[in-house]
Amino acid sequence: DFGVEGHRQLHVGLHIDHWDRLPLRHRDRARNRICINLGREPRYSLFFNLPMMDMFRAAGLRDPEDIYADFRGLYLGRRFMEACPDYPVVGLRLDPGEAYILPTDNLIHDASTETNRFTDITLTYLGLFFPEGLKPEASKNRQPAGAG
């Protein structure tokens, strides 16, 4: 999650993933990410607790005009933060051996290991993961990107 500019490393910061390459209107159909902390120290997942289309509406954007201008939602985070500067970022602590499931194609998020002394090690999978008993009906008809 970083790029290089000259001799400096630049971290991405709050962002959305694009693994399934879905348009903004269909981000709720993207696969989830399960991330397991295999490291020796806690790590943090930071995110806005609003799906992309809820952020779109909260920012006062118009459908369809603004959706076509930002088809994949690449600029939505900046527009949302300008419209709602006091909206809190959630910080979720993930201790060693713990995991989270988040829809990272549909949430603005980032990870943080800023104060850690040891190398951060995680195991990450993409898929349709749901806590037991909470599998939505819509997921029965949903296929991951590239399937079928």
Side-chain angles (χ1 to χ4, degrees):
D1 282 348
F2 64 89
V4 176
E5 180 183 286
H7 298 287
R8 272 185 12 203
Q9 290 183 345
L10 301 176
H11 297 271
V12 173
L14 290 168
H15 65 281
I16 55 172
D17 291 342
H18 302 284
W19 298 108
D20 288 342
R21 305 213 183 280
L22 294 171
L24 182 59
R25 276 197 189 116
H26 300 295
R27 289 290 183 133
D28 60 333
R29 298 178 188 173
R31 294 173 291 173
N32 296 322
R33 171 189 292 222
I34 186 169
C35 181
I36 306 165
N37 182 0
L38 300 177
R40 297 169 62 180
E41 298 175 278
R43 68 191 319 268
Y44 293 84
S45 179
L46 310 171
F47 56 94
F48 287 108
N49 65 347
L50 286 177
M52 299 299 288
M53 283 304 293
D54 288 354
M55 293 179 93
F56 180 88
R57 287 186 282 276
L61 300 174
R62 296 181 322 259
D63 185 3
E65 297 87 3
D66 291 310
I67 282 187
Y68 291 122
D70 188 10
F71 185 66
R72 293 200 191 276
L74 300 178
Y75 306 105
L76 180 57
R78 179 176 304 278
R79 294 173 84 176
F80 174 77
M81 288 183 258
E82 288 170 354
C84 305
D86 296 325
Y87 196 89
V89 174
V90 174
L92 175 66
R93 179 182 166 131
L94 193 65
D95 285 320
E98 293 181 339
Y100 67 71
I101 299 172
L102 287 175
T104 58
D105 270 34
N106 198 26
L107 287 180
I108 294 179
H109 68 282
D110 197 15
S112 176
T113 57
E114 187 174 350
T115 60
N116 290 11
R117 296 175 299 143
F118 300 103
T119 301
D120 180 48
I121 302 171
T122 62
L123 179 62
T124 302
Y125 292 100
L126 293 175
L128 300 177
F129 305 108
F130 301 98
E132 189 174 334
L134 294 179
K135 187 173 182 179
E137 289 297 314
S139 69
K140 293 179 183 176
N141 299 323
R142 177 164 77 167
Q143 293 186 5

